Amino acid sequence: MIAPAQGLQILENMLFSRSSQRLVLAMDWRLFLQKISGGQVPPLLTLIAQKTGSTSAASEPELLRRLAESAAEEREELLAAHIHEQIIRVLGLNPAETLNGRQSLNELGMDSLMAVELRNALSALVGRTLPATLLYDHPNLAALTNYLGREVLALEFKPPDGKQPAAGGQPAAVVEQIKQLSEDELAASIDAEIAELENLLK
């Protein structure tokens, strides 16, 4: 309950506010946040959690703890597996299905509502507020893994064999494959990449 004196003060403040709509709650945010399932604070409430001191190791997403405890060569696969799980769930696909990391999520049936749902799920997964253009800028599993791992969580990824990627971020094996392509094959590959980008921009 809101005490009468406090309620009148709140009402006075609201009457002089330019906001057309307001909601007033007598909320114990510390208690509320402690009861959130899995201890994962929704991105919308992150600022409130910080102001009330409700963010702690206990409310840190489980994935972040697992990534911190994992070896560098295991982090990329671990993160990708969790992102893969969320994509499968949002798209309503068979949990046993393995996605092509480079395939556009739009081709798999991702619509705008699903994109919002997936972004929110990934925000909760990594404990960060992610941009509205997340799925537009990073339209497949591989791109999402790279962005969330390297740019959002500032993780260091290393190949399992300990070898460092070749210049440009491409694995040496891929670079060798490109070198072995004929001019016609290389041109066809480039055309295919351009066509995929054009589809994403439609």
Side-chain angles (χ1 to χ4, degrees), residues 34-55:
Q34 288 174 354
K35 292 180 179 290
I36 292 178
S37 177
Q40 296 186 0
V41 178
L44 181 64
L45 302 180
T46 299
L47 183 60
I48 293 175
Q50 292 173 347
K51 287 183 176 295
T52 60
S54 299
T55 53

Side-chain angles (χ1 to χ4, degrees), residues 2-17 22-26:
I2 298 176
Q6 185 182 19
L8 288 172
Q9 182 63 53
I10 293 171
L11 179 60
E12 180 181 351
N13 292 339
M14 292 173 66
L15 289 173
F16 289 97
S17 169
R22 281 199 173 189
L23 174 66
V24 179
L25 296 171

Side-chain angles (χ1 to χ4, degrees), residues 132-201:
T133 58
L134 176 69
L135 276 299
Y136 179 82
D137 296 331
H138 313 283
N140 57 46
L141 173 60
L144 284 170
T145 302
N146 185 69
Y147 171 72
L148 293 179
R150 296 181 187 278
E151 298 187 38
V152 176
L153 300 178
L155 296 175
E156 180 182 358
F157 291 156
K158 289 183 180 179
D161 59 5
K163 295 180 180 178
Q164 294 298 320
Q170 295 291 339
V174 176
V175 175
E176 279 302 314
Q177 289 177 3
I178 293 174
K179 288 181 179 179
Q180 293 175 10
L181 294 176
S182 66
E183 289 186 7
D184 290 341
E185 290 173 332
L186 184 58
S189 178
I190 293 173
D191 289 342
E193 291 289 340
I194 292 174
E196 182 177 349
L197 289 173
E198 289 176 343
N199 287 333
L200 292 175
L201 293 174

Side-chain angles (χ1 to χ4, degrees), residues 12-78:
E12 180 181 351
N13 292 339
M14 292 173 66
L15 289 173
F16 289 97
S17 169
R18 292 186 178 183
S19 300
S20 58
Q21 295 180 336
R22 281 199 173 189
L23 174 66
V24 179
L25 296 171
M27 176 70 77
D28 185 338
W29 286 108
R30 187 185 300 274
L31 180 61
F32 175 79
L33 293 168
Q34 288 174 354
K35 292 180 179 290
I36 292 178
S37 177
Q40 296 186 0
V41 178
L44 181 64
L45 302 180
T46 299
L47 183 60
I48 293 175
Q50 292 173 347
K51 287 183 176 295
T52 60
S54 299
T55 53
S56 63
S59 64
E60 181 183 59
E62 174 65 22
L63 175 60
L64 297 189
R65 292 200 292 272
R66 292 185 60 187
L67 287 169
E69 295 168 358
S70 300
E73 58 270 18
E74 299 173 350
R75 290 172 186 155
E76 185 171 11
E77 183 177 352
L78 176 61

